[in-house]
Amino acid sequence: MNTETLRPSKVAPALNAASGWWLTTLDRLERTTLADPAIRVLQRGIRSLPLGEVRDLLRGRPLGHPLHPVLVQVPIGCWLSAAVLDVVPGERRAATTLTAVGLAGVAPAAIAGWADWADLPPEQARVGLAHAVSNAAAVGCYAVSLAARLGGRPAKGRLWSCAGLAAVAVTGALGGHIAYRQAVGAHPAS
């Protein structure tokens, strides 16, 4: 391995370029109003659900912080663990189980996420919608992965898991941006 390639002076410009691209993309996403009519309808619909005290529970008020970030640990943890087991010989059954448990953990996390999202301001709601779309992509990849694994096609299952994990990385970055914006009101480039 050429250690010259990994020198900080060589890596830092690439990281800075990637970071700049990401922040520019997020800024554009926050500013685009294309989905605003749909966002307003969805937010109003979610806020109008007769949830009573369950809404406060979903929003994490008894915990003192949002519940969604806590609940996403189940699918993320299961899927990351499944990826690790996918490279360990003889662990197909465990990886399949973790993929299934991760899928089962999606619903509570999504419900809590939508409850939070319904009260976000427009800029964050736009990023939140992209977060939801990338979550749907991840769930779709893992559903196909599980079907392939259960159907005796483990290589196809591992491939779809890799795609799902990539979608999880994107959606996690989007969710992190939303949380950061809530905490400080702007990203560092602002």
Side-chain angles (χ1 to χ4, degrees):
M1 173 183 232
N2 182 355
T3 56
E4 180 66 25
T5 314
L6 298 178
R7 289 186 95 124
S9 62
K10 301 275 185 182
V11 174
L15 290 176
N16 286 337
S19 177
W21 173 85
W22 179 249
L23 290 174
T24 299
T25 300
L26 288 171
D27 187 57
R28 287 180 182 151
L29 184 57
E30 287 177 342
R31 294 174 193 267
T32 186
T33 59
L34 187 63
D36 283 3
I39 288 171
R40 283 191 292 274
V41 168
L42 283 169
Q43 284 184 317
R44 238 177 313 189
I46 293 167
R47 285 193 305 262
S48 72
L49 292 173
L51 298 175
E53 292 179 14
V54 173
R55 186 178 313 276
D56 283 344
L57 180 63
L58 290 172
R59 304 263 344 260
R61 288 212 170 89
L63 295 174
H65 58 79
L67 184 59
H68 176 71
V70 174
L71 294 176
V72 300
Q73 300 308 305
V74 173
I76 293 170
C78 286
W79 295 336
L80 184 57
S81 297
V84 170
L85 292 178
D86 275 339
V87 299
V88 176
E91 296 298 331
R92 286 185 188 156
R93 187 170 172 193
T96 300
T97 300
L98 285 167
T99 300
V101 172
L103 284 166
V106 166
I111 292 167
W114 283 111
D116 288 340
W117 178 82
D119 293 322
L120 291 178
E123 294 81 9
Q124 290 173 308
R126 293 172 190 137
V127 176
L129 189 59
H131 175 68
V133 168
S134 57
N135 278 331
V139 169
C141 289
Y142 279 105
V144 172
S145 171
L146 182 61
R149 291 169 188 272
L150 293 174
R153 297 180 311 277
K156 183 177 179 182
R158 288 191 301 273
L159 180 65
W160 279 102
S161 284
C162 287
L165 201 54
V168 166
V170 171
T171 199
L174 290 166
H177 181 74
I178 295 165
Y180 185 76
R181 291 285 284 182
Q182 285 178 308
V184 298
H187 53 71
S190 293

